[in-house]
Amino acid sequence: MKQHAPDPPPPPPGGILWETAGDIRALLALPAAFVLQVAHPAVGAGVDDHSVFRTDPWGRGARSLTSVMLWVYGGEAAAEEGRRLRRLHRTIQGTDPHGRRYHALTPAYYAWVHATGYPVSRYARRYFATPFTPEEDERFYAEWLMVGRILGIHDRDMPQTTAEFWPYYRKMLSEEVERNAVVDELTAKNRPLPPPPGHHPFLSPLWPLLRPAITRTMSFLSTGLLPPEARDAIGLPWTPRQERRLRRFALLVRWTAPRLPERFRYLPLARRARSSPANSSPCGD
């Protein structure tokens, strides 16, 4: 009888991802990571053709966030979430704007979607928390590879060290990444964003007033938290004035977030996992 390989383990309690992935500051970098993902022609085409990011952006965002939390804090559920995502992506295929056939699980494309989280997270951290030391950066990347294995990404398809990652990343920026219609939609200041689902007696009447401010903020963070070399490769403008605004906003976040109680600072699934006696760990900055 054929023996199945054991499920890959999730990142360890007390590790870098355990401290950072569920922190509310991590939410701020997610739009920029999504922009860098879809700047790849195949990924952008797949999102354009198959995603509900236009019609149900709130639901898509909530599902994606839950998935990320399960990869890190889900324990035995992490591997099952990885299998669910692979099943979900099996039928996603088509033709990109250059006439090339794509499939969501093509190793190079699937790995790129995961790889983007590393440079964007580490760049955003420079604004919102203490930057990683070189040793912490290596640990962070090693744990990000662990998440990749949960998603079904083979080691041969991802650079295995930070030293290997940066040439790969620069090559992708110079040869693959480009501005496209999905990038423009995600970074547009006047994006047609529907109201959150459900009945909100106060929010619904105010949505026409709130939507412009929300879409401008999303556009601002989507562009500003991209590493500069990625912004340049995609062709997204960023001015010194915008950089100063981002730094002022970051100062507020950086001062406030570490002072919040854990119940406000961490997302619910992360908070529950971290409060488990078996997984307790000190709260880093």
Side-chain angles (χ1 to χ4, degrees):
M1 187 175 183
K2 184 177 180 181
Q3 296 292 318
H4 292 284
D7 287 337
I16 297 284
L17 282 175
W18 192 263
E19 295 295 334
T20 60
D23 189 311
I24 57 172
R25 287 173 287 184
L27 296 175
L28 299 172
L30 293 180
F34 190 34
V35 168
L36 187 52
Q37 290 169 12
V38 301
H40 188 292
V43 180
V47 169
D48 196 13
D49 295 341
H50 299 276
S51 176
V52 296
F53 82 97
R54 296 185 183 94
T55 57
D56 184 25
W58 304 104
R60 184 199 179 280
R63 290 188 295 273
S64 296
L65 189 57
T66 298
S67 191
V68 172
M69 293 299 99
L70 286 171
W71 305 341
V72 178
Y73 303 102
E76 293 180 358
E80 178 51 40
E81 176 63 11
R83 287 189 286 269
R84 185 193 70 81
L85 287 173
R86 292 195 295 279
R87 291 193 298 268
L88 182 68
H89 286 83
R90 281 175 188 160
T91 59
I92 296 178
Q93 55 187 311
T95 305
D96 75 12
H98 300 288
R100 301 175 298 192
R101 295 290 298 171
Y102 71 81
H103 190 287
L105 294 179
T106 296
Y109 307 155
Y110 195 50
W112 172 249
V113 171
H114 181 58
T116 56
Y118 171 64
V120 173
S121 295
R122 117 190 243 283
Y123 183 70
R125 186 176 176 85
R126 296 172 53 186
Y127 289 93
F128 302 129
T130 303
F132 291 138
T133 66
E135 188 270 337
E136 288 171 334
D137 191 44
E138 292 293 340
R139 286 167 50 206
F140 176 49
Y141 188 71
E143 292 181 20
W144 200 237
L145 290 177
M146 295 178 73
V147 172
R149 295 178 193 116
I150 289 170
L151 298 176
I153 298 171
H154 297 291
D155 285 352
R156 63 176 178 269
D157 297 318
M158 278 283 290
Q160 290 300 291
T161 65
T162 58
E164 294 174 1
F165 177 83
W166 295 112
Y168 155 80
Y169 172 67
R170 289 190 291 269
K171 187 172 188 290
M172 293 295 292
L173 292 184
S174 65
E175 297 182 6
E176 293 288 350
V177 164
E178 63 185 18
R179 191 164 175 172
N180 57 45
V182 180
V183 168
D184 285 343
E185 284 188 60
L186 293 174
T187 57
K189 295 179 182 179
N190 59 347
R191 179 182 171 189
L193 192 67
H199 178 64
H200 302 279
F202 300 105
L203 179 61
S204 298
L206 293 174
W207 186 248
L209 298 175
L210 294 174
R211 185 187 65 80
I214 292 173
T215 54
R216 284 196 300 269
T217 300
M218 292 175 66
S219 170
F220 181 69
L221 294 176
S222 296
T223 305
L225 293 180
L226 280 170
E229 68 276 4
R231 275 200 306 265
D232 291 344
I234 298 171
L236 292 172
W238 187 250
T239 67
R241 182 180 179 185
Q242 289 174 306
E243 180 64 22
R244 289 192 295 270
R245 285 176 54 206
L246 178 59
R247 290 179 182 273
R248 289 195 297 269
F249 171 70
L251 280 174
L252 177 63
V253 173
R254 187 168 180 161
W255 187 89
T256 304
R259 291 167 172 80
L260 293 175
E262 182 139 338
R263 65 182 182 275
F264 297 126
R265 181 178 163 191
Y266 281 89
L267 297 171
L269 199 155
R271 191 171 63 248
R272 289 194 296 272
R274 288 168 58 84
S275 66
S276 170
N279 295 327
S280 60
S281 62
C283 186
D285 125 17

